[in-house]
Amino acid sequence: MDLDNADYIRETLDLSGCQIALRVDRELRADDGKIVLHDTRYYVSSLDPNQVTAADLLRHVRQHWRIENSLHFLKDRWWDEDRHHTRRPGLSACMAAINNAALSIHRLRSDPNLPVRAAADYIAWCPANGLQLLNS
């Protein structure tokens, strides 16, 4: 935790709520111990530095990426939601709601041993299977 950087961010970058500036370094290692990937990510937080520990902050960061990887990555990369543009007002919000409903149905009704992507592909190949999920 670096509170001096938080002052800089708050004053110079005009992020008035910044209380903590956080840097997280991540390494991905192969089975032989060799570093395959190294990246650094920076975070700002409005949490009170006197009320939070480094372990708490790490838990928040991991929770953020859990949501990012389980929801946004799926919708953005697999379903390509970001590239769908509509000209009618409100239609994009409706499409997002339908995608959210479809994702929820997949997670609630599909075989728990089957990844969401595999379940979606299975339904795409045979739409009748998707209708069966809705009726069960």
Side-chain angles (χ1 to χ4, degrees), residues 36-75:
V36 177
L37 171 75
H38 175 85
D39 67 0
T40 301
R41 298 213 168 116
Y42 298 91
Y43 300 88
V44 295
S45 175
S46 61
L47 296 172
D48 182 354
N50 299 318
Q51 301 289 324
V52 67
T53 65
D56 294 333
L57 291 170
L58 185 57
R59 190 171 49 255
H60 285 292
V61 167
R62 287 181 172 155
Q63 181 67 22
H64 164 80
W65 285 107
R66 184 174 156 258
I67 293 167
E68 180 70 29
N69 292 332
S70 68
L71 177 63
H72 300 296
F73 181 83
L74 181 95
K75 291 171 68 176

Side-chain angles (χ1 to χ4, degrees), residues 107-125:
R107 287 201 169 125
L108 292 172
R109 300 288 185 154
S110 294
D111 179 356
N113 298 318
L114 196 61
V116 174
R117 175 69 187 263
D121 287 346
Y122 184 66
I123 290 170
W125 295 323

